[in-house]
Amino acid sequence: MRKSFKGEKSLKICFFGWKRAFDYYQIGGTESYVRRLASGLVELGHEVTYAMYGASKRETVLPEDFNATLVYEQRFEDALRQLEGRDFELVVSIYLHPKYRPGFFLFRKRMKRRTLFSTILFSPFRSKTKLILGSMDLHSYDSVFAVSDRIHEQIARIGVKSIVLPPPVSDVYFEATEKRTPDPEGLIRVGYIGRADYGKGFDIAVNIMRSLDKTKYSPSIMTYSWPEKDFEIRPEDFHGWGINLEITRYETYSGKIEKSVANFLKVNDIMLFPFRTLYTTIDVPLSVVEAAVAGCKIATVCSELEHTITKCSEENSNWNQAENELLSLGQKIHPNLSFLTTEFVNGENVKSIHGAKKIEFIAKLQNHALIEKYKR
């Protein structure tokens, strides 16, 4: 029998849900969160499987860079059979289409004696009605995890206990801070990174960058198109606007992506995150946390970020004239644009989920599962 963290018995753990929500090979906040969590569990000696429905074909993949099993099924019912046939001790659901939730609810009841079931909430409920409707479903899980204090507090109001698991940050972003150098021409480097969609405010970022004086600023965008495109990206337009553009394919994750993102962040001084709402991302946006860790200043129009990113006092900000000009120009595009100088995430220093502490973070899920298992 393999041993895991603190000599405990290793667990067979499955992350289950819709392929488009968290596939290992996709780029995105939920995908990165689950990938890092799964990698940490593997490091602790656990056997990890992804079981996903909604794939174009049925297949099992063993990634070269990740010691886990990826099981793809076209139909939800076939993915459920994978859960039943592999004797998992812990199943963590990520996202299920509403039409499949009643079926999964009944499946959990049937499998309750054999398997522990957990779920991770990445966004708060958008209305009281949805919160109430979700109450019975959440109460049926053995444990519930929330990525932010805001979600934790929201579901506590309907009597659901949860454990806060904020996003882990890869070491490469901390290393980017140490390697940061100023622009050789003395320009203020302004960046945007993320999906080209309306909710993330892609168009707001582009319009701000177009308005900048290119003798003072160097704007850059690293983006990828979501399958349902909100905006058509034509590279020739961005070239004409004086904006450096890098387009990444949606389903191309590899370890090189992390380094590529970190390298992009370390050569930008200010990052624009003009989210119209956080419902298009996870409640603690990984891109914002990573940018803060990499030493960038954050400009946003989203007041909701105050729930997950704590503002430092203004005297800690070192704004020069060019940065104030960016703020003034940007507010003409969107009046709510403001700077956040980010040192704390969810009230904790972001470095508390880095390096050696990462093992303690990952162990939260492991130890809770073991405790629940031994209770039985």
Side-chain angles (χ1 to χ4, degrees):
M1 181 69 69
R2 287 188 303 154
K3 297 293 181 179
S4 64
F5 188 67
K6 294 184 179 179
E8 296 286 4
K9 171 184 172 294
S10 65
L11 297 171
K12 293 179 70 174
I13 299 172
C14 178
F15 292 94
F16 174 75
W18 186 36
K19 174 188 178 295
R20 277 270 302 278
F22 72 106
D23 185 7
Y24 175 81
Y25 289 111
Q26 290 174 177
I27 300 169
T30 304
E31 293 88 341
S32 294
Y33 181 104
V34 177
R35 191 162 45 237
R36 293 171 189 176
L37 181 57
S39 297
L41 290 168
V42 168
E43 287 176 21
L44 291 173
H46 300 297
E47 185 179 326
V48 173
T49 299
Y50 280 45
M52 298 163 282
Y53 71 90
S56 60
K57 62 179 180 178
R58 185 179 193 181
E59 62 179 333
T60 298
V61 177
L62 302 174
E64 293 181 3
D65 59 345
F66 180 43
N67 189 22
T69 304
L70 311 181
V71 179
Y72 296 92
E73 295 284 359
Q74 293 175 299
R75 299 169 63 246
F76 171 77
E77 294 78 11
D78 292 332
L80 273 188
R81 291 191 187 96
Q82 292 288 346
L83 301 187
E84 191 167 10
R86 292 176 179 248
D87 295 321
F88 294 112
E89 292 158 293
L90 172 64
V91 171
V92 184
S93 72
I94 302 301
Y95 175 81
L96 300 174
H97 190 280
K99 70 179 180 181
Y100 295 131
R101 290 172 192 169
F104 191 52
F105 174 82
L106 294 175
F107 178 83
R108 295 198 305 274
K109 287 190 69 175
R110 182 161 59 85
M111 299 289 290
K112 201 168 182 64
R113 291 180 179 275
R114 291 171 49 185
T115 307
L116 288 165
F117 289 93
S118 297
T119 189
I120 302 175
L121 297 181
F122 293 90
S123 298
F125 289 91
R126 301 181 71 166
S127 68
K128 288 184 179 179
T129 301
K130 290 184 176 181
L131 179 62
I132 293 168
L133 290 174
S135 173
M136 184 172 72
D137 188 55
L138 291 176
H139 277 291
S140 69
Y141 282 96
D142 295 294
S143 56
V144 176
F145 297 91
V147 302
S148 72
D149 289 328
R150 178 163 70 153
I151 299 171
H152 171 75
E153 292 163 4
Q154 183 193 49
I155 63 176
R157 295 199 292 270
I158 55 170
V160 176
K161 294 180 179 179
S162 64
I163 298 169
V164 177
L165 283 182
V169 179
S170 296
D171 294 355
V172 68
Y173 298 101
F174 290 89
E175 293 164 3
T177 306
E178 299 165 4
K179 297 174 182 177
R180 176 174 291 278
T181 57
D183 183 75
E185 298 178 15
L187 299 176
I188 300 294
R189 300 163 298 184
V190 181
Y192 170 90
I193 190 167
R195 274 201 316 263
D197 74 24
Y198 182 81
K200 289 186 180 293
F202 177 77
D203 55 321
I204 298 173
V206 170
N207 288 332
I208 290 173
M209 290 181 176
R210 289 179 64 183
S211 70
L212 296 177
D213 181 349
K214 304 308 185 295
T215 66
K216 296 180 179 179
Y217 301 92
S218 175
S220 300
I221 290 176
M222 184 179 186
T223 188
Y224 59 96
S225 292
W226 189 241
E228 290 84 30
K229 295 180 181 179
D230 287 342
F231 303 102
E232 192 68 37
I233 301 175
R234 299 193 305 176
E236 62 270 20
D237 289 341
F238 289 81
H239 179 73
W241 297 331
I243 300 173
N244 300 312
L245 178 67
E246 181 180 343
I247 301 175
T248 303
R249 287 185 58 204
Y250 177 58
E251 296 188 54
T252 55
Y253 175 79
S254 71
K256 294 178 181 178
I257 291 289
E258 298 279 10
K259 292 181 180 178
S260 178
V261 171
N263 287 335
F264 181 83
L265 293 173
K266 80 177 182 183
V267 296
N268 279 286
D269 305 301
I270 298 170
M271 291 297 297
L272 299 178
F273 292 103
F275 300 114
R276 286 184 168 91
T277 173
L278 290 186
Y279 285 109
T280 64
T281 183
I282 68 174
D283 206 43
V284 181
L286 263 174
S287 54
V288 177
V289 178
E290 289 162 355
V293 164
C296 301
K297 292 184 178 178
I298 311 299
T300 183
V301 304
C302 184
S303 61
E304 290 178 288
L305 274 180
E306 294 179 16
H307 292 284
T308 52
I309 307 291
T310 303
K311 286 187 180 180
C312 299
S313 59
E314 191 167 321
E315 60 262 26
N316 289 339
S317 300
N318 235 344
W319 297 354
N320 60 27
Q321 184 178 357
E323 289 170 335
N324 282 321
E325 285 178 8
L326 181 144
L327 193 65
S328 179
L329 284 167
Q331 285 174 345
K332 293 177 182 178
I333 308 298
H334 197 294
N336 292 339
L337 186 73
S338 62
F339 277 102
L340 299 179
T341 303
T342 56
E343 289 183 1
F344 295 89
V345 179
N346 282 337
E348 297 177 24
N349 192 295
V350 289
K351 292 189 178 182
S352 67
I353 48 177
H354 163 63
K357 290 283 186 181
K358 197 190 304 182
I359 293 296
E360 296 176 21
F361 160 78
I362 301 298
K364 269 190 179 183
L365 187 145
Q366 170 205 259
N367 292 345
H368 183 76
L370 288 168
I371 290 167
E372 289 296 323
K373 186 175 180 63
Y374 293 154
K375 278 182 182 177
R376 299 182 176 191

